[in-house]
Structures are given as C-alpha cells and as structure tokens.
Amino acid sequence: MKKGYEERYLINIISAVMNQKVTPEPFRQLNWEKLYRLADFHHVAHIVYYGIMGLNETIPQPVRKRFFQKYLEAVHRTERLRKGEKQLKDLMEYKQVSCFFMDYSEMVKKYPIGEMCCSEYIEIGTEKKSTDLISNILRVRDFQERPIQEEGYLYYRIPGIKVFFYNYNVFFSRSMKKFFKSLLKSAFREHDHKFVKKIQLDDQYLFRMCRLTDCYAKGEISLNQIIDFWVFYKTYAEEFSWKYIYERLKKLKIADFAERLEYLVLRWFGTGEPVENTEIYEALESYILSKGKEGRDVSAQYLPLIKTVADCYERNKKAEKFNKLLEWLFPDRGYMETIYPVIEKAGVLLPLFWIIRLGRYGIRICYSKIKYKLLHGRLVNLKKFHYLFSIINKDVVPPAAKNQSPAGETILKEKIETEINDNVNEEITEKEKTMEIPK
C-alpha cells in the first residue's frame, strides 16, 4: 500500500522541523493545496509552516497565507493555555476536585520551540462523579460546551482557550478503563496541591500509549497526538522503568501493537532505519494518515481492538434503529397530548391511546394496499380492453402479422400481454408516489 508523494513529504517536513534540520527540497512538483489540507486534517499545519519558510519551492500565496494563519493561532494559543492551565489547577484545588492534568506547560518546554506544541487544549482526567462538577465550574466562568466525537467533554472560551476533560469512559477496552481508575489512586500530589495530582513518568507513558491505541482503534488518531508522544518519549526515555512498562502493556493486551507503533514513530522522527516487513508499516502509516480508512485489515491483525470497536459500533447502530422504532411506536406523552388532548387530564389512558394510534395506522396501511390492488385490477382491464379494441380495428397489428399461423398468433398474444403488464406497472409506480402510505 503506497502513500502519495504529499503524504511522504509531509512526514519529511515534520521530521526535519522536530529534529532541527533543514527541510529537504521536494524532488518533484507538489500539490500544495493537498499538502495543506492533509496537514490541517492532522492539526500540524503550524509545524509545517516552520519547515516551508526556507524552501526555494514556489508555494501558491493563498496556501502560504493559510499555513501562516495556523502558525499565528499556535503562537497565541500557547501562552493562553499555559496561563489558563495554572488558573484551572488552582481552581480545581479550591473546589476540591480530585483530578490530574496532562501538564501542558511542561510539554511546551520540551518542544524545540514552544509554539510548535501540538496540544490544542488543557487536558484533565478525573473521576466520573466529578465530571458534572467540572462542567458547572467551567460554565460559571463563561466556557461553552462544544460537540466532540471522543468520549469526553470539550469546553471553549473566547479568545481561544479549550479544556478537554474525561473519566474512564474515554477508553473503550475494560483493561484500559481499569488502568485509568488506578491512576488517580497511584498519582502523587503536585507541589502544594492536595486534590490536583501528578502521574508518574512510567504511568504517563502507559497512559499516552493507551490513548494512542484507543484513538487508533477508533480511527481518530492524528499526527499531532503522535508528535506529542514522540516529544515525551524522546525527553524521558532514559528515565523509564521499561520492565514495569512491558509488564503493564501485556496486562493491557496492547504490547505487540505498542511495540510496532513505537517503532513506526522512531522510523518517522528518530533513527529512520529501514525495517523488515515494510508492508506492515506502510499499512500502519496509511491507517494513521487516512484516520482508519486504509490499512484496516493489516492493522486489525496486530490490534484486535479494532474489530471489537467496529463490532460494537455496528451493535450500537442496530440498537439505535430499534430505539427509533420504539419511539415511533410509543411516542412520549407530550406528543400524544397534541393528538389526543384528553390525555392531559387522564395520563393513565396513554397506553390505550398508543393502541388506538397504532390501530389507525394499521387501518390506513390496509386501506392503501386494498386501494392499490383495486387500482391495479382496473388498469389491467382497461389496458386489455384498449389493446383488444385496437387489434379489432387493425390499428396496432403490423402488416406482416395480419396472416399469422396459430403459433404466430400465440407469440403475438404473449407480446401484447407483456406490453400491457409493463405499461400497467409503470402507471402503478406513478400512482404509488401519490398514495398516502405511512412510513
């Protein structure tokens, strides 16, 4: 499975920027519009801007401006999130909310330039019982909730501060949920804080790998998440207790996949050494760059969680269809009161009026079917009469067929019957479109 040249060049640019090297000149003409869309899709356009500043390549001015705009957003975002994180830590401590922060301020320091940081929000992990409390705290401070695909809560406040918080439900697998619950118990207090805690380095590695694996399985993984993981790995790799990490990865049932994902990250941004079984890593690359649309079969071999997620989503779709059917069959009381006002005074009669409503729909469906059959029969008879009348008047019989043998007459009769049925079916189809058949 081959990547396009723009995908390969995007990885080259990011690798050069993160390792403080000169960006290589492209070997052929690039589709810069496609490159920008891909970079923006993975939330790394601000990093790419650093890589294209010194290129001799002619870049369309509108595309260059869009890259520059993403760079400016990152510059403003970095300082706002650092200040916002400090304020939120103090606030959570004051409100006695047991939680941990992913420490945005510390991650910023690990990047070659702070504004390169790929995190776009302040990230908080907490207990399930505390999620409503955090929501209320943020709403009081003019934060507004934004929709998000992940199992968590995203809040936004002008001029550009995002807060993403979650509980153990952010993970799909049970083993990861169990691991999340243990984090709050094993985390130690941060400085003078009693409720805001800090995760140890080994557990941070495990948590980040779990997040990557979970997002990978759901098809939501992005390059900005991988870059954040790479910066963390590069900074603390020598301090990790690898024996403990490998044991926990096995218990989490992601050891094999984690090893391959880690090797892929090193291949992109680290040593860059060639590997055996390149088709495996090309499939992983395609899966990441396409966010789960390509390379799924190979990826599922090393991460069975992918199939589990897909099966669960399929079950959820079936359950959603069933729930919609139940909602149609048994609407809520407010809807039924608009049809049958008597329910307002006698709510106990609601089940009776459900049955009456379904009975009315049943009668309408039966009436429509009977009407359809009667209409079909009448049209068939009219068509036959019309064709027989035409045959008697010698209007539709071709000259060559006027003196037919008995076999020829049978064939002619069959052709006429076929034409009658075709015309009737066409008219019936048009009539069906105007019929009131309840959906």
Side-chain angles (χ1 to χ4, degrees):
M1 188 175 297
K2 300 294 184 182
K3 302 186 300 297
Y5 186 66
E6 284 74 18
E7 284 84 354
R8 291 197 298 271
Y9 192 67
L10 174 64
I11 297 298
N12 290 338
I13 292 177
I14 296 173
S15 179
V17 172
M18 296 307 299
N19 290 290
Q20 296 290 277
K21 295 181 179 179
V22 178
T23 304
E25 295 286 340
F27 293 125
R28 68 183 192 190
Q29 184 65 37
L30 283 166
N31 183 340
W32 284 100
E33 181 68 32
K34 178 182 177 181
L35 184 66
Y36 171 78
R37 290 198 305 269
L38 185 63
D40 188 43
F41 183 58
H42 285 275
H43 309 283
V44 293
H46 64 293
I47 291 182
V48 175
Y49 179 75
Y50 286 96
I52 66 175
M53 284 193 295
L55 286 180
N56 296 324
E57 182 77 7
T58 302
I59 303 174
Q61 196 61 26
V63 176
R64 186 182 287 274
K65 285 183 178 179
R66 276 181 275 176
F67 274 119
F68 178 68
Q69 185 63 38
K70 294 296 179 181
Y71 158 77
L72 284 181
E73 290 177 9
V75 170
H76 296 308
R77 177 176 65 235
T78 303
E79 190 58 31
R80 288 168 183 161
L81 291 185
R82 291 174 73 173
K83 291 181 179 178
E85 185 182 56
K86 185 179 183 307
Q87 294 171 356
L88 281 176
K89 281 184 178 180
D90 294 338
L91 187 58
M92 296 300 160
E93 181 67 22
Y94 176 74
K95 295 292 184 178
Q96 299 184 0
V97 180
S98 180
C99 62
F100 63 84
F101 283 69
M102 288 310 294
D103 216 333
Y104 177 86
S105 300
E106 285 298 317
M107 278 301 297
V108 167
K109 298 175 183 177
K110 310 307 178 186
Y111 275 80
I113 301 175
E115 289 76 14
M116 290 181 183
C117 186
C118 288
S119 297
E120 297 184 344
Y121 39 66
I122 300 166
E123 194 170 337
I124 308 173
T126 185
E127 300 170 320
K128 188 174 183 179
K129 63 182 181 180
S130 299
T131 51
D132 289 339
L133 177 58
I134 296 177
S135 295
N136 293 332
I137 292 172
L138 294 176
R139 289 194 193 100
V140 170
R141 282 149 185 84
D142 298 326
F143 280 87
Q144 295 181 347
E145 188 171 4
R146 292 290 180 88
I148 189 170
Q149 292 182 347
E150 292 186 73
E151 292 291 336
Y153 309 87
L154 180 64
Y155 278 77
Y156 174 84
R157 187 179 71 186
I158 297 174
I161 300 176
K162 294 181 182 179
V163 179
F164 178 51
F165 64 96
Y166 43 78
N167 52 55
Y168 63 85
N169 283 326
V170 74
F171 291 123
F172 185 84
S173 76
R174 292 181 180 178
S175 56
M176 291 183 188
K177 288 181 178 181
K178 186 176 179 181
F179 169 68
F180 183 96
K181 292 177 181 178
S182 68
L183 282 179
L184 285 170
K185 297 178 182 178
S186 62
F188 58 90
R189 298 177 184 177
E190 183 180 2
H191 304 302
D192 298 331
H193 295 152
K194 180 180 179 181
F195 296 93
V196 177
K197 300 180 180 180
K198 191 176 182 66
I199 305 176
Q200 298 179 10
L201 284 179
D202 293 339
D203 287 333
Q204 274 199 57
Y205 173 93
L206 291 168
F207 181 78
R208 290 176 182 274
M209 182 57 74
C210 285
R211 288 278 287 135
L212 284 177
T213 305
D214 190 77
C215 290
Y216 190 99
K218 295 174 182 176
E220 299 170 354
I221 192 169
S222 293
L223 286 177
N224 66 327
Q225 296 172 302
I226 293 177
I227 293 171
D228 254 0
F229 174 79
W230 158 245
V231 172
F232 174 79
Y233 177 92
K234 186 179 180 181
T235 304
Y236 299 109
E238 295 181 358
E239 301 179 37
F240 293 147
S241 174
W242 288 109
K243 182 179 179 181
Y244 167 78
I245 288 174
Y246 289 145
E247 288 175 355
R248 292 306 300 266
L249 287 174
K250 289 179 181 178
K251 290 182 180 179
L252 291 165
K253 301 178 182 179
I254 58 172
D256 188 28
F257 176 77
E259 181 181 355
R260 294 189 180 278
L261 183 61
E262 185 180 303
Y263 202 94
L264 177 63
V265 174
L266 290 172
R267 182 186 179 193
W268 278 352
F269 310 127
T271 58
E273 294 179 359
V275 297
E276 297 179 359
N277 300 323
T278 56
E279 65 277 2
I280 295 174
Y281 291 97
E282 286 179 357
L284 296 179
E285 289 175 351
S286 298
Y287 187 95
I288 293 171
L289 293 171
S290 65
K291 288 194 176 182
K293 294 181 180 179
E294 299 177 11
R296 176 175 290 272
D297 293 338
V298 176
S299 297
Q301 295 176 16
Y302 299 96
L303 186 60
L305 185 62
I306 291 177
K307 187 177 184 305
T308 306
V309 170
D311 292 343
C312 183
Y313 283 167
E314 187 63 29
R315 288 196 299 271
N316 288 343
K317 287 181 181 179
K318 291 180 180 178
E320 185 178 349
K321 289 181 180 178
F322 180 71
N323 290 334
K324 286 183 178 179
L325 177 62
L326 288 180
E327 289 176 4
W328 182 84
L329 291 173
F330 308 106
D332 59 32
R333 180 171 174 173
Y335 175 79
M336 292 295 291
E337 286 177 356
T338 61
I339 304 174
Y340 308 103
V342 68
I343 298 177
E344 293 182 15
K345 298 180 179 179
V348 71
L349 297 177
L350 178 61
L352 174 63
F353 282 98
W354 276 338
I355 297 173
I356 293 173
R357 175 178 171 272
L358 291 175
R360 287 177 57 192
Y361 274 114
I363 293 171
R364 289 175 61 184
I365 292 172
C366 292
Y367 170 76
S368 298
K369 288 185 176 180
I370 293 171
K371 185 178 178 181
Y372 171 82
K373 288 182 179 180
L374 292 174
L375 179 63
H376 185 276
R378 290 178 62 187
L379 286 174
V380 168
N381 291 333
L382 285 172
K383 283 290 181 181
K384 285 183 177 180
F385 175 79
H386 171 73
Y387 272 83
L388 289 172
F389 183 78
S390 301
I391 290 171
I392 292 171
N393 288 310
K394 308 299 182 181
D395 291 330
V396 299
V397 181
K402 290 181 179 180
N403 299 316
Q404 289 282 354
S405 63
E409 290 178 2
T410 301
I411 295 172
L412 180 61
K413 185 178 179 181
E414 290 177 353
K415 289 183 178 180
I416 292 172
E417 290 287 344
T418 301
E419 189 171 352
I420 289 173
N421 290 330
D422 290 343
N423 289 333
V424 168
N425 289 333
E426 288 180 6
E427 293 197 24
I428 290 295
T429 302
E430 293 299 322
K431 293 289 184 181
E432 282 180 337
K433 293 179 181 179
T434 61
M435 279 183 167
E436 289 189 21
I437 299 178
K439 297 182 180 179

